[in-house]
Amino acid sequence: MKQPWKKRALGVALLMVIGFLAWTKGESVVQVVAPHDAVRTLVIDAGHGGFDGGAIGSNGTTEQDINLSIAKRVRLLASFFGVQTAMTREDENALGYDASRSIRDNKVTDIQAREQIVKSASDPVFLSIHLNKFSDAQYHGAQVFYSTNHAGSRALAELLQDALIVGCDPTNTRQAKPADRNIYLMKTLECPAVIVECGFLSNPAEETLLGDPEYHKKLAASIVTGYLRYESGI
Ligand SMILES: [Zn+2]
């Protein structure tokens, strides 16, 4: 008699072992196959890249590299829990960069390429990872912003905000807020869409934390915890 559940259980166990080993070693690129019945896709967006480095901290920390490190860890951990994922960028480069074009044109190409990745994913949930910066160094703490185009965005943002407070900084009193309507992807995407600002590079203590790969793991674990709660409707 065939026992397909055994095969599946074995597959899941194998997936968990692969994911766990990679996680403990801090490896960033491991492809884990999602279960066949997973339809929803978590599209993980590492903000900036290439010519667009994003914010720079007082000791030279650049946003784009940290965003990518956190994004890869989110993918790894989400895959470990059987979430189907897609990444907008897998390396340090911007999307569709052409040195002969203006910075403005390259920015448009890059953001439209990210939009296309989201739109071609099945049942997408868009999660963009960024770092904050402000003129006053005292401000700190992760904060989540949501698109107002889809009711799910706010629910997801609030669960992510909660998970980031519990997992990374219990003194953080920030609340999830609607994203600025001028942010292209928050305006154009119709699916659940959020921006996670993981902390302030302008705050020296938080900049140090954000430069530590161990802290990236904490951020990723919090983000995935919030996402899984959203997915399971808790
Ligand atoms: Zn940014």
Side-chain angles (χ1 to χ4, degrees):
M1 194 176 81
K2 281 189 177 176
Q3 293 179 305
W5 63 269
K6 263 194 173 175
K7 210 172 166 186
R8 186 172 166 88
L10 198 68
V12 170
L14 190 65
L15 208 107
M16 289 175 76
V17 171
I18 292 168
F20 182 72
L21 288 177
W23 177 251
T24 52
K25 288 189 336 192
E27 283 181 4
S28 52
V29 185
V30 172
Q31 293 290 343
V32 180
V33 179
H36 296 299
D37 51 4
V39 178
R40 184 177 284 167
T41 309
L42 176 62
V43 182
I44 305 156
D45 175 53
H48 310 282
F51 69 97
D52 170 19
I56 300 172
S58 56
N59 60 24
T61 314
T62 60
E63 182 187 350
Q64 61 164 316
D65 300 332
I66 297 172
N67 292 344
L68 184 61
S69 171
I70 298 166
K72 284 181 170 179
R73 289 170 199 282
V74 168
R75 177 187 48 187
L76 193 61
L77 192 55
S79 302
F80 174 67
F81 285 104
V83 175
Q84 180 164 281
T85 61
M87 298 276 283
T88 56
R89 69 174 171 105
E90 304 258 1
D91 57 31
E92 70 277 20
N93 299 308
L95 281 70
Y97 180 72
D98 180 344
S100 70
R101 285 197 301 249
S102 68
I103 288 178
R104 192 183 181 282
D105 286 350
N106 273 311
K107 279 202 172 186
V108 171
T109 301
D110 175 82
I111 211 74
Q112 288 181 344
R114 291 176 202 240
E115 182 183 15
Q116 276 316 306
I117 290 169
V118 182
K119 288 187 170 172
S120 61
S122 75
D123 194 12
V125 173
F126 180 71
L127 191 149
S128 187
I129 293 171
H130 284 258
L131 305 181
N132 230 328
K133 190 175 179 179
F134 197 63
S135 51
D136 189 333
Q138 69 169 303
Y139 294 104
H140 64 92
Q143 185 163 22
V144 187
F145 296 88
Y146 54 88
S147 157
T148 52
N149 293 343
H150 189 291
S153 303
R154 181 175 181 171
L156 173 60
E158 287 174 348
L159 289 167
L160 289 168
Q161 185 73 55
D162 275 359
L164 284 160
I165 289 170
V166 171
C168 293
D169 182 5
T171 68
N172 180 2
T173 57
R174 296 184 177 279
Q175 294 183 337
K177 283 189 178 163
D180 186 332
R181 287 287 294 177
N182 293 320
I183 299 172
Y184 181 80
L185 292 175
M186 293 293 104
K187 190 167 57 183
T188 57
L189 293 177
E190 299 292 336
C191 65
V194 297
I195 296 174
V196 181
E197 297 276 4
C198 293
F200 283 76
L201 278 179
S202 43
N203 178 280
E206 200 155 58
E207 183 185 12
T208 303
L209 272 179
L210 290 166
D212 181 358
E214 288 302 310
Y215 191 63
H216 302 171
K217 286 185 190 174
K218 261 181 140 177
L219 286 163
S222 302
I223 290 168
V224 173
T225 300
Y227 177 74
L228 290 174
R229 283 182 66 199
Y230 169 79
E231 224 192 12
S232 59
I234 298 170

